[in-house]
Amino acid sequence: MIDIQHISKAYLSATRETWAIGDVSFTVRKGEFVCIVGPSGCGKSTLLNMVGSFMAPSAGSIAIDRIPVVPGTIPHRLGYIFQKDTVLPWYTVGRNIGLGLKFRGHPEQKIAEKVRRLLALANLSGCEDMLPHQLSGGMRQRVALLMTLACEPDVLLLDEPFGALDSNTKMTLHHELLDIWQKLSQTVMMVTHDLDEAVTLADRVIVLSAPPSRVVLDHHVDLPRPRDVFALRDSEAFGRNVRAIWSVLGREFQAAQGASREVSHVA
Ligand SMILES: Nc1ncnc2c1ncn2[C@@H]1O[C@H](COP(=O)(O)OP(=O)(O)O)[C@@H](O)[C@H]1O
Ligand SMILES: [Mg+2]
């Protein structure tokens, strides 16, 4: 469904050239949930932005469902969720969720039905007329997720969507995201800095190296589904998956730290 081939990306400024991504290739199958982890600055957001067409790679190609991604042209049926929730503060929860459908010209009654169905899916029934400032951070992030899901994307790109939340709220949202994903069967590519989160959610965890990044591990998470996100963490199998990934990821964290120490030493 997502085919990434030999992508590299350099950011150029008047004084310097930063190679964020060295040479990254991998594919994501239809309906698969893939998490991307790697040290800060290794180009995770950059990669997601290129898949979403918001940015052009320096070299390489990306295709979604065999159609090449053209920078500046958002691929058909793509949903994107940013690290910071992007709900509109002056609209109610219901209007926020129905916004994309309204832009697409759907009739009001159809929108209202769909909004109600989505709210029930995310345990937010009864919150339809509330304003975003009346919600907790976790509820707002759930509304942001529903805004994206309302337009029924086939491919969902998530950039650290739960990064700012406490661990309890996070796990509740993991449970809900898996529930929704299983019902709607989308292809998901999610960036996270939380390894436990990646193992809880993903079919595969891809580890990027320190920049200029490449894929240093493509790990298949061998935990059965449906997963109980709360019980899972106590299991031996969960720990085994986390350790296998950490043995590679930990090294890259150290490599990235070493590189930044060198830079500050030179400076
Ligand atoms: N617009 C930009 N201009 C110049 N450099 C950038 C820009 N965006 C990101 N970078 C640099 O590219 C590297 C990768 O950034 P990013 O993709 O945000 O990493 P990550 O999401 O993995 O933390 C970093 O060194 C960052 O400073
Ligand atoms: Mg990022």
Side-chain angles (χ1 to χ4, degrees), residues 46-62:
T46 300
L47 186 63
L48 221 55
N49 283 330
M50 291 190 293
V51 175
S53 84
F54 310 131
M55 197 183 270
S58 302
S61 64
I62 302 173

Side-chain angles (χ1 to χ4, degrees), residues 11 18 20 39-46:
Y11 287 105
T18 309
S40 176
C42 74
K44 302 181 293 297
S45 296
T46 300

Side-chain angles (χ1 to χ4, degrees), residues 238-264:
F238 182 82
R240 181 165 37 75
N241 277 277
V242 169
R243 282 192 299 277
I245 300 166
W246 178 248
S247 67
V248 176
L249 180 61
R251 227 172 30 224
E252 295 306 326
F253 278 167
Q254 280 177 337
Q257 251 179 4
S260 69
R261 263 201 304 271
E262 261 167 47
V263 171
S264 59

Side-chain angles (χ1 to χ4, degrees), residues 27 60 87 92 95 120 122 153 190 225:
T27 57
V87 298
T92 62
R95 280 196 74 180
M190 171 167 158
R225 295 192 189 272

Side-chain angles (χ1 to χ4, degrees), residues 102-168:
K102 198 172 166 65
F103 281 139
R104 284 168 171 78
H106 289 239
E108 290 292 342
Q109 200 189 333
K110 277 251 153 54
I111 298 177
E113 274 167 29
K114 185 147 200 190
V115 166
R116 264 196 300 278
R117 240 181 313 131
L118 284 166
L119 285 167
L121 201 63
N123 287 326
L124 285 173
S125 296
C127 299
E128 193 169 344
D129 296 324
M130 290 171 86
L131 285 164
H133 79 266
Q134 297 171 306
L135 307 174
S136 69
M139 289 162 89
R140 261 203 313 276
Q141 196 57 300
R142 244 178 292 178
V143 173
L145 181 66
L146 295 183
M147 280 175 81
T148 306
L149 291 176
C151 299
E152 299 181 4
D154 294 328
V155 175
L156 206 51
L157 305 177
L158 309 171
D159 193 355
E160 305 200 19
F162 309 130
L165 303 173
D166 64 84
S167 53
N168 193 8

